[in-house]
Amino acid sequence: MTTPDMLTVQATLHCGLARAWNAYTDPKAIVQWNFAAPEWHCPRAENDLRVGGTLKSRMEARDGSMGFDFEGTYTEVVPMERLAYALGDERQVLATFKESGSVTELTVRFTPDSTFPAEYQIGGWQAILNNYKAFAESAA
């Protein structure tokens, strides 16, 4: 499903695969980390983790000045290994999990949108992944 024009972000988590997977897929966890800057938050998330199911989240500025909905439809779900989903008709996302001992590597490849420069998109997605890493590593 990947193409040469996809962008990549990564995180090395110092936690096991089950914790990393649950932090990435549980809506109660997603709302804890799914934003790129402290001025933003994710007030709600839903995740129907099956092929054809949807991932939905809302990102909003904490001051209420702006926000947007994020939605994808799963095209592949391999528990504890890989998630692929489509954002609309043209954009694709592939998240892969690899465990080695007590470390889990998450790689997310995504088709960039045509609105913002690639560097900006990589920065935003990486910031979100950094929040995810911090949450997953601290989750009880």
Side-chain angles (χ1 to χ4, degrees), residues 38-51:
E39 302 81 28
W40 285 76
H41 69 133
C42 180
R44 65 182 176 274
E46 300 173 28
N47 197 11
D48 183 4
L49 197 57
R50 62 181 176 83
V51 172

Side-chain angles (χ1 to χ4, degrees), residues 39-41 60-66:
E39 302 81 28
W40 285 76
H41 69 133
E60 293 180 356
R62 291 189 186 271
D63 67 6
S65 62
M66 62 187 328

Side-chain angles (χ1 to χ4, degrees), residues 1 71-73 75 85-93 111-112:
M1 186 213 64
E71 184 172 330
T73 302
T75 57
Y85 56 93
L87 302 172
D89 291 334
E90 297 181 19
R91 296 185 64 211
Q92 303 292 318
V93 179
T111 308

Side-chain angles (χ1 to χ4, degrees), residues 9-48:
V9 293
Q10 295 180 305
T12 300
L13 291 84
H14 297 279
C15 66
L17 179 58
R19 181 182 289 183
W21 179 266
N22 290 335
Y24 198 80
T25 59
D26 181 348
K28 291 177 188 165
I30 294 168
V31 298
Q32 302 297 314
W33 57 261
N34 192 29
F35 45 89
E39 302 81 28
W40 285 76
H41 69 133
C42 180
R44 65 182 176 274
E46 300 173 28
N47 197 11
D48 183 4

Side-chain angles (χ1 to χ4, degrees), residues 2-4 9 11 14 21 23 29 32 47-48 59-61 76 82 93-94 104-105 107 112 119 121 123 132:
T2 61
T3 62
V9 293
H14 297 279
W21 179 266
Q32 302 297 314
N47 197 11
D48 183 4
M59 293 185 197
E60 293 180 356
E76 183 179 18
R82 184 172 50 253
V93 179
L94 175 64
T104 301
E105 186 76 33
T107 302
E119 300 79 24
Q121 294 178 65
Y132 156 76

Side-chain angles (χ1 to χ4, degrees), residues 48-125:
D48 183 4
L49 197 57
R50 62 181 176 83
V51 172
T54 56
L55 167 64
K56 299 178 185 179
S57 62
R58 173 78 182 166
M59 293 185 197
E60 293 180 356
R62 291 189 186 271
D63 67 6
S65 62
M66 62 187 328
F68 62 94
D69 294 312
F70 179 90
E71 184 172 330
T73 302
Y74 287 109
T75 57
E76 183 179 18
V77 175
V78 180
M80 306 286 188
E81 185 179 325
R82 184 172 50 253
L83 294 171
Y85 56 93
L87 302 172
D89 291 334
E90 297 181 19
R91 296 185 64 211
Q92 303 292 318
V93 179
L94 175 64
T96 56
F97 295 78
K98 291 192 175 146
E99 183 178 42
S100 178
S102 61
V103 174
T104 301
E105 186 76 33
L106 172 60
T107 302
V108 179
R109 299 196 71 211
F110 62 96
T111 308
D113 69 32
S114 59
T115 307
F116 298 102
E119 300 79 24
Y120 181 83
Q121 294 178 65
I122 289 170
W125 283 65

